[in-house]
Amino acid sequence: MIIVGERLNGQFGDVEQAIKQKDESIIKDLVDAQVEAGSDYLDVNVGTAVPSREKADAMVWMVETIQKFTDVPLAIDSPIDEVLKVGVEACEHPPLINSAQADPEELNDYIQLAMKHDASLIALTMDEDGVPNDVAKRVELAGNIVVAAMEAGMPFDRLFIDVVALPVRATQAQPGIVLEAISQLQGIADPSPHFIIGLSNVSQGAVKRSLINRTYLVMCMAMGLDAAILDPMDEELMDALITTELLLNKQIYSDSFLNAYRSSKRRG
Amino acid sequence: MIIVGERLNGQFGDVEQAIKQKDESIIKDLVDAQVEAGSDYLDVNVGTAVPSREKADAMVWMVETIQKFTDVPLAIDSPIDEVLKVGVEACEHPPLINSAQADPEELNDYIQLAMKHDASLIALTMDEDGVPNDVAKRVELAGNIVVAAMEAGMPFDRLFIDVVALPVRATQAQPGIVLEAISQLQGIADPSPHFIIGLSNVSQGAVKRSLINRTYLVMCMAMGLDAAILDPMDEELMDALITTELLLNKQIYSDSFLNAYRSSKRRG
């Protein structure tokens, strides 16, 4: 499982404060904790901590600050082109670009950006019409993404298709639609692209968020999800993730299987 | 989700003691707790509490005792023909017969027994050769079971196909094989039979049994499992079950969705 740590995001109060006050110690603590918990990438998103015109600078500050403390690669996360580009350019290691929509022009721009930086790319199964209400349209958009990547010569192991999880509280059929889409997309290409979701979306506005998150992660992994943007510091979530890998025969059983996985994922 | 409470089984020390000492209070406590926790059936198994020649009597005592305290139907569980038959005959309400193997003769005998008592039947995807090592053989045996039920005129809503979960510790590929079998068996007949497993088998001999059980239950439910023999008094397990139903859109979201489900399942 490829784990993208979600906590370096200006939507969280501590990170907002860090960005506003240029407080490196808050950033360092979140870097250390997420790396220790097994993150393969650290997501970096300035959120709404600063006005739009200051977001590019804030992104560069975040990227440069984080890289003082770790060499774990970053997922540069912004809906704003310019913010995303300066973030990618500030990376010392090839990042994960988060994210492109499936509209042809935007998709091709971002694939080119990824190719230029040897980066990986998250491409969303949504377009100018928004997030599809059904399985078929998600699968169709994923097909478009795969074709665009193929035509650009982008290796599929650098392509992350995000099937776009939506809140169960608001749209209760959507979690099941996403599960079915993940299932149908298995085998869409060989080698397969990765399949990813922003996990905590599913519990937006709901109670028992951690329970909902970890239950949904297990369901999605059973269907073939192999990457997620999530809070790796949520210990019960990580226990569920590790146990799912065990049951999918992706990790050898030992009585210390939880610790064994954590040790294997930990890096400096 | 159809919940078969597993705790009235002589393999557990308290139940073994109850059987040996004809102690109704132990039985009553386990009946009450499992019914309160939402059991649709209560599994009844004398286990190894008494020698073989006393098992039929012990089964009848258990069934009669349990029925003093509840009208929740029973799952009569024994590998011994005679024990199973006297158990079924002692039932005041149509029980679930647990279980028949897929060998034609045994299967037909048990289907006839079920028909005679308006009972439901658990039929295992295993035969005289044991539990299949692959998906294809499980699916083939499930096909045989469906055909046998159809030929006997048994309604599919009274047929529970058990895809036979095996311990992850001993045979690590098996949990994934069972998941794939559940997935492939969706749509095998219309209306569909139920799909069931004996959940705690998966964690036999392992550490973190409750974590493994609830993780595997969620995975199986994502694939289409709609019944399980499990410990309904394991609160975290039931939380995971309820949350999975929510995410599969089988229960309406409310901020009290855990309590709402429990209230709806509770019966006297």
Side-chain angles (χ1 to χ4, degrees):
Chain A
M1 194 70 180
I2 298 170
I3 298 164
V4 183
E6 73 175 11
R7 277 293 274 106
L8 289 161
N9 188 316
Q11 74 168 318
F12 296 105
D14 51 357
V15 178
E16 179 177 348
Q17 188 191 331
I19 293 169
K20 284 178 170 163
Q21 303 176 354
K22 298 245 193 311
D23 182 337
E24 295 193 349
S25 69
I26 293 174
I27 301 293
K28 179 176 190 308
D29 289 348
L30 286 169
V31 167
D32 289 349
Q34 291 190 103
V35 170
E36 171 74 13
S39 297
D40 298 289
Y41 291 91
L42 298 176
D43 197 69
V44 187
N45 187 324
V46 299
T48 51
V50 291
S52 290
R53 67 177 184 286
E54 298 173 24
K55 283 187 177 177
D57 286 347
M59 174 62 89
V60 171
W61 177 80
M62 282 185 83
V63 169
E64 289 177 347
T65 304
I66 293 164
Q67 291 180 147
K68 288 182 187 175
F69 307 121
T70 188
D71 60 0
V72 167
L74 306 182
I76 302 300
D77 184 1
S78 174
I80 305 171
D81 261 30
E82 179 54 23
V83 177
L84 205 138
K85 278 174 193 164
V86 297
V88 170
E89 278 158 15
C91 287
E92 290 165 11
H93 306 285
L96 176 58
I97 295 172
N98 184 9
S99 55
Q101 294 194 15
D103 305 289
E105 201 172 332
E106 173 169 336
L107 185 57
N108 287 326
D109 283 355
Y110 278 83
I111 288 174
Q112 293 310 322
L113 180 68
M115 297 290 283
K116 183 175 158 195
H117 293 273
D118 291 328
S120 297
L121 175 66
I122 296 178
L124 307 168
T125 58
M126 63 178 288
D127 60 11
E128 57 190 2
D129 297 330
V131 178
N133 279 321
D134 60 7
V135 176
K137 182 73 180 174
R138 274 191 171 80
V139 170
E140 179 190 327
L141 292 175
N144 296 349
I145 292 165
V146 164
V147 169
M150 198 179 324
E151 286 177 352
M154 185 178 186
F156 287 144
D157 65 355
R158 279 164 42 197
L159 179 63
F160 291 70
I161 297 178
D162 186 331
V163 275
V164 193
L166 293 176
V168 67
R169 185 180 178 171
T171 53
Q172 215 179 319
Q174 279 286 349
I177 288 170
V178 166
L179 288 173
E180 180 60 28
I182 296 170
S183 174
Q184 288 191 19
L185 286 169
Q186 299 305 302
I188 190 178
D190 183 18
S192 181
H194 301 290
F195 298 99
I196 193 167
I197 55 169
L199 180 63
S200 46
N201 278 355
V202 76
S203 64
Q204 198 79 45
V207 298
K208 302 273 175 194
R209 291 199 64 177
S210 177
L211 173 64
I212 292 173
N213 288 345
R214 67 177 172 267
T215 304
Y216 197 51
L217 179 67
V218 172
M219 298 170 82
C220 289
M221 288 176 68
M223 291 299 172
L225 193 84
D226 69 341
I229 306 166
L230 52 73
D231 180 359
M233 299 184 294
D234 180 338
E235 217 170 299
E236 288 183 283
L237 174 64
M238 291 301 292
D239 283 353
L241 181 155
I242 297 167
T243 306
T244 307
E245 296 259 284
L246 177 78
L247 289 161
L248 291 173
N249 203 11
K250 292 182 178 176
Q251 191 202 350
I252 292 171
Y253 179 83
S254 72
D255 282 351
S256 57
F257 70 94
L258 292 176
N259 288 335
Y261 184 92
R262 289 190 161 97
S263 301
S264 74
K265 291 285 272 190
R266 206 169 288 142
R267 43 186 288 184
Chain B
M1 194 69 182
I2 298 170
I3 297 164
V4 183
E6 73 175 12
R7 278 293 275 106
L8 289 161
N9 188 317
Q11 74 168 321
F12 295 105
D14 52 356
V15 178
E16 178 176 350
Q17 188 191 331
I19 294 170
K20 284 179 171 164
Q21 303 176 353
K22 297 244 193 308
D23 182 339
E24 295 193 350
S25 69
I26 293 174
I27 301 293
K28 180 178 190 307
D29 289 348
L30 286 169
V31 168
D32 289 349
Q34 291 190 103
V35 170
E36 171 74 14
S39 298
D40 298 288
Y41 291 91
L42 298 176
D43 197 70
V44 186
N45 187 324
V46 298
T48 51
V50 291
S52 290
R53 66 179 184 284
E54 297 173 24
K55 283 187 179 178
D57 286 348
M59 174 62 89
V60 171
W61 177 79
M62 282 184 84
V63 168
E64 290 178 346
T65 304
I66 293 165
Q67 291 180 146
K68 289 183 186 175
F69 307 121
T70 188
D71 61 0
V72 167
L74 307 182
I76 303 299
D77 184 2
S78 175
I80 304 171
D81 261 31
E82 180 54 24
V83 177
L84 205 138
K85 278 173 191 162
V86 297
V88 169
E89 278 157 16
C91 286
E92 291 165 11
H93 307 286
L96 176 59
I97 296 172
N98 184 9
S99 56
Q101 294 195 15
D103 306 287
E105 201 172 333
E106 173 169 335
L107 185 57
N108 287 328
D109 283 355
Y110 278 83
I111 289 174
Q112 292 309 323
L113 181 68
M115 298 290 283
K116 183 175 159 195
H117 294 273
D118 290 327
S120 299
L121 175 65
I122 296 178
L124 307 168
T125 58
M126 63 179 287
D127 60 12
E128 58 188 1
D129 296 330
V131 178
N133 280 321
D134 59 7
V135 176
K137 183 73 180 174
R138 275 189 170 80
V139 170
E140 178 191 328
L141 292 175
N144 296 349
I145 292 166
V146 164
V147 169
M150 197 180 323
E151 287 177 352
M154 184 177 187
F156 286 146
D157 65 354
R158 280 165 40 199
L159 180 62
F160 290 69
I161 296 178
D162 185 330
V163 275
V164 194
L166 293 177
V168 67
R169 184 180 178 169
T171 52
Q172 215 179 319
Q174 280 285 350
I177 288 171
V178 167
L179 289 173
E180 180 61 27
I182 297 169
S183 174
Q184 288 191 18
L185 286 169
Q186 299 305 301
I188 191 176
D190 183 18
S192 181
H194 300 291
F195 298 99
I196 193 168
I197 55 169
L199 180 63
S200 45
N201 278 354
V202 76
S203 63
Q204 198 78 47
V207 298
K208 301 274 175 193
R209 291 198 65 176
S210 177
L211 172 64
I212 292 174
N213 289 346
R214 67 177 173 267
T215 304
Y216 196 52
L217 180 67
V218 172
M219 297 170 83
C220 289
M221 289 175 68
M223 291 299 172
L225 194 84
D226 69 341
I229 306 165
L230 52 73
D231 180 0
M233 299 184 293
D234 179 340
E235 217 169 300
E236 287 183 283
L237 175 65
M238 291 301 292
D239 283 354
L241 181 155
I242 297 166
T243 306
T244 307
E245 295 258 285
L246 177 77
L247 290 162
L248 291 172
N249 203 11
K250 292 182 176 175
Q251 192 203 350
I252 293 171
Y253 179 84
S254 72
D255 282 352
S256 57
F257 70 93
L258 292 175
N259 288 335
Y261 184 94
R262 288 190 162 98
S263 301
S264 74
K265 291 286 273 193
R266 206 169 288 142
R267 41 185 290 186

